[in-house]
Amino acid sequence: MAKSNPRRNVAPDLAQAVCFLSAGGFANLGGMNGDATHADLIREAESLKLYRGAIEGLGPRLPENDEDLHRLLARLVATKNELAFPRIVLAALCAGRRVDASHLVEGAALFPEPESMSSAAWHCSGEVGVALVDAVKAGLMGIERETTALAVAAAWSKGHPEFAFPSELIPQARLVARDAAYNFLACSALMVVANLLDDEGLRAVLRGYGAPDHPLLEEGFLEEFLGRVRRPPLSLLPEKPPPTEVSGFTVRRAVERVGRNDPCPCGSGKKYKKCCYDKDRERLLQSSAVAGLTRSELRQQPELGLTLEGIQNMRSYEVCKLDPGKVPPNLRIPFADRLMLFGLLDQVVGALEAWPMEHEALWVWDLALMEVVRKGSKPLLERLLRLKPGALDALTYNRLTIDLVLAGDDGRRQLDLVEAAALKALQAERPAAGMVDLAYCLLNTRPALGIVATRGAIPMTNEIEADTLLEQLLRARDKLNLPPDDPMCDVVDAMLFAPRNATAEEPEELVKARQELQAKARETRKLQKEIEQLHRKLGGRESQPPPPLSAARYTPPQPPSTPFTLPEPPSASLLPPALSESEAKALRERLESLKGLLKERHNERNQLRHELKAARAKIESLQRRPAPPPAAATADDAEIEEQLLDSEQVQSRQTLRLPEFPRRFQEQLTALPQATARACVAMAGRLAAGEVSAFVGVKRLKALPDVYRQRIGEDYRLLFRLWPGRLEIVDLVHRRDLERKIRAMG
C-alpha cells in the first residue's frame, strides 16, 4: 500500500550515474496521437535506434518554427510519449534549436536513464535549475533519478548566476534525503549537493542517516559525470546503431514456430522459407511479453498480459497509460498503489470513477482519501466524496484536514475550524490522542502552525508516537527551509532512550551510548545558550549610536505660552557602552566559531541518536527471542493470563480500519519463527478488515481498557487498539512477558 514516507520501487538508476555507465536503449512503451502534420515525424522518432546518425537525420525533419517545435514537445509530454520525446529533444539540441526547460518538469521522467536526461537538461534554454527542482517535486521519476536531477540542478545553477537560484532546491533536497534514508547512492549524490552549495542543514540531515561527509564517488561524480553531461548531447550517443536488446520481461514469440520447409501458414501453398519467413523474422525481433504481439502492438493495448510483477516495475509514464476499466479486479489495488506512489492522484480518482464502488475500490478509496487530503487538492477531494455520498458524515479520523481542504481559501472559516478542533481536543476524555490528531492535521496543511501544535502534543504521548511525530515535524521544518534541529529533539531523546525498567539490568554498551547522547545534548544546549548571549550582546551594543558630546539638559526654543518641553536625551552613563571595532570583530569571530562547533555537536548527536536506536532495537530483539517453549501453555499459565483480561467479549461486528504498525515492528518479526511472523501479519490484516472470525477470543486488558489482546498461536499475544478508521498495533509479546508488558505500559 502507498505510504506517507513511500520507498519507491524503481530501478537503481543512480548506480549507473555515479559509476558513469550510459545505459542504452529507450523503453518501448508509450505513444501519442499526434497532429496529422507531425504524425509521420512522431512515428519515425518512435522507431529510431539511438545513435548519432539517426538523431542527426531527424534534425532536418523538425518543425522549422520554434513555436511549432515547442507545441510538439508539449503534446509529447502530455501524452507521455517516452519514445518520441527524448529523441526529438536530442535531435533539436544537436541541430542547435531552442528547447525550453519548462518541458523538463514532466518530461524529465520520460528519459531512459539519468545521463541522457542530465545532458539534455544541461543544454536546454531558460531556468533549467528551477525546472529540474519542479520535476523532482512532481514525483514522477523515483528516488535515485530525483537525487541525480537535484545534483545537476545545483551544478547548473552555480554555473549560471545570471538566473535566479531555485529557492526550493535545498528544501526539496532535504525532503528527498529523508525519503532516501539509508540508500547510500542517493545520499551520496545529495551530499554532493550539500557540499556544492555549502548547506549545513542538508549535511546535518544526511549525516543523521549515516552518509559520509566526503563520499568516495563525489569527486568522480563532479568531474566525470557532470563533465560528460556538459558536452554536446550527440557526443554521448554511439556512432553505429546499437544491437537490439530486450530486457525487463520474459520474451514471448510474436509469431508461431514454423519449420523452414513447412507450408507457409498464410495459405499461399509455398514453403515457409520462400514466403513469410523474412517478414516473420523482423516481427520476431519485436517480440513482447505477450505471445503473438509485438512490442508496438502491445503499446496500443498494455493491459493484455498484465501481472502483479509487471505493475510493480512500471515507470510513471507506463502505469498512467493503463485503462482502469481493463485492469483485472485482483490487480486494482496494486495498480492504484503504483499510481499513488508517483503522485498521480488524478488518475487514481479517475480509476475509482470507472470502477464499481465495492470490494477493492472501497479499499483504494480510503487510501486515496488520505493522499488527496495530504496533497490538499479540493477538486479531487470533492470528486472522491461524490463517489461515496454520506461518507463525510462518518469520517472522524483526519476530519480537520478534510474540512480545511474543503474550506479552500476562506481564511476566516479555516481559522474557525482550527479553533473548534483545538477545543474538541482539549475537551476529549483522552486529550493526548486529540492533540496528536490535531498536530498531524496541521502539519499536512499548515506546517508552521503544525510545528507549534506538535511541540504541545509530543510530551503528552508515548515514546513511539512521539518519535513518529518528531519525524513529521522535521519534515515540516524542511518544507519551510528552517534549521533541521528542533527543541523537541531533547524531549523525544529523553522519552525514547530512558531505561524502560529502572530495576532491570541493562547492557553496559546501551548505558554508555545513552550517556554519550545525553552529554552531546548538554554540549549542544550550552553552545546554543552562549550563541544567544553573543547575539544579544552584538545586537544591543554594536549598532548603538555614539553618545552625545554633552550630557547637559536640552530645552528647545518655545513660545512663552507653550508649557510643553521636549524630554532631555538620556545621560551617556545610562547607555550601554558601544563596542569598539576590534571588540565587535572579536565577538563576531567567536560567534562564527561557536556556530561551527554547534553544527559539529548537532551532527554528532544525530548520528548517536540513530546508532542508539539501532543498538536498542537489536538488544530488544535478542531479549525477545525466547528459550524453546513447552509445546502448550500449562493450566497455571492460562489461569494467570485470564486474570489480566476482562471477561467481556469484544463486539464481533467491526468497521474497516487501516493497520498501523510500530516503527521497529519489522525488526521484531524477523527475530521470530517465520510461521509466527506470518500468522501475526495475517491476523493484523483480518482484524483491520473487520472479519468476524478474527475477533473471536479478543479481550480487553483490565489494567488498560483501550488495549485488546488476541492470541497468535500458543505462545504469542498481539496487543492492539481500535480507533475510528485505524487499527494501532501496540506490540507482539510472548505469553510469559504479557504481565510485565502491561506493567510497563501502565
Side-chain angles (χ1 to χ4, degrees), residues 641-642 644-654 683 686-687 691-701 707-713 716-720 722 738:
E641 182 176 349
E642 287 299 319
L644 303 173
L645 306 174
D646 196 317
S647 59
E648 181 182 355
Q649 292 286 336
V650 179
Q651 181 181 358
S652 59
R653 184 178 296 276
Q654 297 288 334
M683 177 59 72
R686 292 171 59 203
L687 291 169
E691 272 189 33
V692 174
S693 59
F695 284 83
V696 175
V698 172
K699 292 185 178 181
R700 295 177 187 267
L701 301 182
V707 180
Y708 300 83
R709 179 231 65 175
Q710 177 60 295
R711 296 174 182 269
I712 303 296
Y716 288 88
R717 304 294 182 257
L718 182 66
L719 304 180
F720 60 94
L722 298 175
L738 180 61

Side-chain angles (χ1 to χ4, degrees), residues 93 189 323 379 483:
L93 293 173
D323 183 351

Side-chain angles (χ1 to χ4, degrees), residues 64-83:
E64 295 181 1
N65 186 283
D66 282 349
E67 189 61 33
D68 290 339
L69 176 62
H70 178 80
R71 285 196 292 267
L72 172 61
L73 291 174
R75 287 197 297 273
L76 292 171
V77 169
T79 52
K80 303 292 188 292
N81 193 323
E82 83 287 358
L83 295 180

Side-chain angles (χ1 to χ4, degrees), residues 275-566:
C275 188
C276 295
Y277 176 78
D278 292 334
K279 180 182 68 175
D280 285 353
R281 287 279 297 174
E282 290 296 323
R283 183 178 174 83
L284 196 60
L285 292 175
Q286 297 296 319
S287 295
S288 68
V290 179
L293 294 179
T294 63
R295 293 194 292 276
S296 60
E297 291 169 346
L298 186 59
R299 289 176 65 237
Q300 306 304 320
Q301 40 190 345
E303 300 81 16
L304 294 178
L306 199 60
T307 63
L308 175 61
E309 182 180 4
I311 288 178
Q312 291 175 340
N313 288 302
M314 280 185 172
R315 298 272 298 278
S316 59
Y317 56 77
E318 296 173 309
V319 69
C320 71
K321 292 177 184 176
L322 296 176
D323 183 351
K326 296 180 181 179
V327 175
N330 64 311
L331 295 179
R332 287 175 179 171
I333 292 179
F335 166 65
D337 183 51
R338 194 68 177 166
L339 286 172
M340 284 186 275
L341 202 59
F342 290 111
L344 299 170
L345 299 181
D346 187 66
Q347 286 86 339
V348 175
V349 178
L352 287 169
E353 291 171 339
W355 296 337
M357 194 51 58
E358 57 186 19
H359 307 307
E360 297 86 359
L362 291 173
W363 182 269
V364 173
W365 188 92
D366 288 333
L367 295 175
L369 179 68
M370 291 192 298
E371 295 300 321
V372 167
V373 168
R374 184 178 291 113
K375 185 177 181 181
S377 173
K378 182 179 178 181
L380 290 180
L381 179 57
E382 290 173 339
R383 286 170 61 187
L384 272 179
L385 294 175
R386 282 197 293 270
L387 293 175
K388 285 182 66 177
L392 189 59
D393 297 333
L395 290 173
T396 55
Y397 178 65
N398 228 15
R399 179 59 186 270
L400 173 61
T401 314
I402 295 173
D403 289 339
L404 288 174
V405 173
L406 292 175
D409 297 328
D410 188 346
R412 176 69 185 185
R413 182 160 181 262
Q414 289 187 340
L415 187 60
D416 291 342
L417 288 169
V418 173
E419 175 69 14
L423 180 60
K424 183 178 178 181
L426 294 172
Q427 294 173 340
E429 293 183 5
R430 299 178 65 249
M435 288 294 294
V436 168
D437 288 342
L438 178 64
Y440 278 127
C441 291
L442 293 175
L443 285 170
N444 286 331
T445 56
R446 298 291 183 271
L449 189 57
I451 290 173
V452 176
T454 304
R455 288 177 174 178
I458 283 178
M460 301 176 64
T461 187
N462 60 69
E463 69 272 15
I464 302 300
E465 189 74 69
D467 192 30
T468 306
L469 269 173
L470 178 63
E471 182 69 23
Q472 296 304 313
L473 182 150
L474 295 178
R475 285 177 177 272
R477 294 183 69 91
D478 293 339
K479 293 178 184 177
L480 300 173
N481 202 15
L482 296 172
D485 198 16
D486 191 271
M488 282 296 104
C489 291
D490 290 339
V491 178
V492 175
D493 285 350
M495 297 172 65
L496 199 58
F497 302 125
R500 295 279 181 90
N501 190 340
T503 61
E505 185 175 348
E506 288 190 304
E508 182 180 350
E509 181 182 359
L510 191 61
V511 174
K512 184 178 179 181
R514 183 182 295 112
Q515 291 172 348
E516 289 180 0
L517 180 64
Q518 292 170 346
K520 292 297 179 187
R522 286 193 296 270
E523 290 180 34
T524 303
R525 287 193 293 271
K526 183 178 178 181
L527 288 171
Q528 287 173 335
K529 185 175 181 180
E530 189 172 351
I531 287 175
E532 291 172 2
Q533 292 173 347
L534 281 177
H535 270 301
R536 286 196 296 270
K537 192 172 184 180
L538 281 169
R541 299 172 63 188
E542 182 181 13
S543 59
Q544 181 69 40
L549 296 176
S550 172
R553 295 175 62 88
Y554 170 73
T555 305
Q558 302 174 20
S561 59
T562 306
F564 174 75
T565 58
L566 291 175

Side-chain angles (χ1 to χ4, degrees), residues 155-265:
W156 188 94
S157 298
K158 285 202 70 174
H160 295 76
E162 66 274 18
F163 290 93
F165 188 83
S167 59
E168 292 292 315
L169 176 55
I170 292 300
Q172 198 62 36
R174 282 166 56 176
L175 290 171
V176 172
R178 296 191 186 280
D179 286 339
Y182 296 98
N183 184 323
F184 175 77
L185 292 174
C187 288
S188 296
L190 289 174
M191 188 62 80
V192 171
V193 176
N195 292 335
L196 199 60
L197 303 179
D198 194 24
D199 185 80
E200 191 59 36
L202 179 56
R203 286 197 196 103
V205 174
L206 291 166
R207 287 174 187 142
Y209 291 110
D213 287 345
H214 302 286
L216 297 176
L217 299 175
E218 180 176 330
E219 184 178 350
F221 184 95
L222 290 171
E223 294 181 1
E224 282 291 325
F225 180 71
L226 292 180
R228 284 168 63 84
V229 302
R230 289 188 182 103
R231 298 181 214 159
L234 199 64
S235 65
L236 301 180
L237 302 179
E239 295 184 4
K240 298 180 180 179
T244 301
E245 295 181 359
V246 177
S247 62
F249 58 88
T250 302
V251 178
R252 309 294 182 188
R253 294 178 63 91
V255 294
E256 295 181 5
R257 190 183 300 275
V258 181
R260 289 170 52 87
N261 294 313
D262 292 344
C264 186

Side-chain angles (χ1 to χ4, degrees), residues 725-741:
R726 60 191 179 104
L727 173 80
E728 178 192 356
I729 303 298
V730 176
D731 208 346
L732 178 67
V733 300
H734 195 276
R735 57 183 175 80
R736 294 196 304 264
D737 301 328
L738 180 61
E739 185 176 4
R740 182 170 54 192
K741 176 66 179 178

